[in-house]
Amino acid sequence: MEGFIRVFLPLLAGYLLDFAIGDLPSAYRPELFFKRAINSVLNWMNCGTMRLLKGAMLVVISTGVVFIVTTLIWSYLLEFAVPAYLLLSTLMIYWSLGSNKLIQNGDAAFNKNKEGNDSSAYTRYETVISMSSGLSKRVVSPVFYYCLGGIPLMLSSQLIHYLDDRIGYKTTEFEDFGKAAAWSDDVINFIPSRITAVLILLISRNSAAWKYMMNRGHLHASPNTGYPLMAISGVIGIDLLLPVSEVKLSRVHYAYIRSLHYAVILVLVVAIGIYYFNW
């Protein structure tokens, strides 16, 4: 029961806040601190020689500091200020989740805009890809690392996601410097992406989609995005690895993907609640 109160209740409260409110305005999101801290060191680290080593140092040092500091803070709160522990844990989980934002973007892409025009096929295509990878990175991954190592490990994993989004590009500026961030992101999302795919397939109860996902999940450029994306492809019967001009996504397809999104979260939260309640 202690685990239920200490672990599950902040998770449930954080998810309900995300469901009811959605994302905080960017000016109030904790990741603004990450952004300012990283930007302050980019100019003097991402220059000269040994950029690969410098990028690796940035990943190791920044995530290490976040993990150690949050471990000390949360250990103190759990020992001496349990209400503050529960409140801050709830807020950190709420910040880390991005379910509501993914759905809002999907609704905007698949519903008519103010002028009454539909979004382009490319926008719909990119939205579904974003929803599949986002379900892994913005929902399953933070929940997975929270259950595995509490708020410290969850925030450290979120920082790696942010570093990958910020510098993990194959451009002239970040080709070497961002490699460690990109590799780290691939590593930490390896298990969550496959959990996401399995949950999608279990919920849909589509046996043929299992073989489809296993045969085609590795064909995507990303070692992780392909699995939830191909799980969705198998379920809706549309190969989302085809060129965008050949992918015909309707509102019916999106409505089913949307329902899968919520079902994955519901199953995940309920399963964790049952586990910690018995534990």
Side-chain angles (χ1 to χ4, degrees):
M1 181 62 88
E2 180 186 350
F4 182 82
I5 296 172
R6 178 174 55 85
V7 179
F8 179 70
L9 287 186
L11 174 62
L12 178 62
Y15 168 67
L16 291 176
L17 275 176
D18 177 64
F19 180 78
I21 302 174
D23 276 357
L24 283 168
S26 57
Y28 299 99
R29 290 177 63 82
E31 69 187 33
L32 188 63
F33 171 77
F34 289 165
K35 180 179 180 179
R36 289 173 176 169
I38 292 167
N39 287 343
S40 67
V41 303
L42 279 182
N43 290 335
W44 61 269
M45 289 193 74
N46 188 25
C47 62
T49 59
M50 297 190 296
R51 295 193 186 191
L52 179 61
L53 177 60
K54 292 175 182 177
M57 288 175 60
L58 175 63
V59 173
V60 171
I61 293 172
S62 60
T63 54
V65 168
V66 167
F67 182 81
I68 292 170
V69 170
T70 52
T71 296
L72 292 174
I73 293 173
W74 258 257
S75 297
Y76 176 85
L77 292 176
L78 184 60
E79 184 72 23
F80 301 105
V82 174
Y85 171 91
L86 296 174
L87 176 61
L88 288 177
S89 295
T90 296
L91 292 176
M92 289 299 100
I93 292 168
Y94 162 55
W95 163 67
S96 296
L97 294 175
S99 173
N100 197 316
K101 184 66 174 179
L102 291 170
I103 292 295
Q104 288 177 356
N105 291 341
D107 291 346
F110 279 85
N111 293 322
K112 290 184 177 180
N113 58 30
K114 293 180 180 180
E115 288 72 31
N117 300 319
D118 286 330
S119 300
S120 67
Y122 178 79
T123 300
R124 293 185 173 197
Y125 175 84
E126 288 295 310
T127 298
V128 171
I129 292 178
S130 175
M131 286 184 69
S132 67
S133 63
L135 184 56
S136 175
K137 278 193 174 185
R138 296 298 304 275
V139 178
V140 177
S141 179
V143 171
F144 174 77
Y145 284 106
Y146 170 68
C147 292
L148 194 64
I151 294 296
L153 191 58
M154 183 191 74
L155 289 182
S156 299
S157 70
Q158 291 301 101
L159 175 56
I160 290 175
H161 288 323
Y162 178 75
L163 283 168
D164 179 54
D165 290 340
R166 178 67 179 85
I167 63 175
Y169 299 104
K170 293 181 179 180
T171 61
T172 303
E173 183 180 5
F174 296 121
E175 174 69 29
D176 293 325
F177 188 70
K179 277 184 180 179
W183 291 340
S184 300
D185 187 71
D186 288 341
V187 169
I188 67 168
N189 204 40
F190 184 88
I191 295 176
S193 64
R194 285 149 180 82
I195 292 175
T196 305
V198 169
L199 287 173
I200 290 170
L201 295 173
L202 286 174
I203 291 165
S204 67
R205 294 182 295 177
N206 187 329
S207 57
W210 283 88
K211 185 176 180 181
Y212 192 87
M213 184 268 291
M214 294 300 294
N215 289 338
R216 297 186 61 78
H218 66 283
L219 298 178
H220 195 274
S222 166
N224 297 319
T225 300
Y227 288 91
L229 184 63
M230 288 301 99
I232 288 176
S233 291
V235 169
I236 66 175
I238 295 178
D239 188 352
L240 294 171
L241 287 181
L242 292 172
V244 62
S245 59
E246 300 179 33
V247 177
K248 307 299 180 185
L249 288 164
S250 69
R251 291 177 189 157
V252 174
H253 293 131
Y254 170 68
Y256 189 56
I257 294 169
R258 191 180 195 273
S259 66
L260 278 176
H261 184 99
Y262 280 126
V264 166
I265 299 169
L266 180 62
V267 169
L268 190 66
V269 171
V270 169
I272 293 169
I274 293 172
Y275 172 81
Y276 278 104
F277 183 77
N278 291 330
W279 186 70

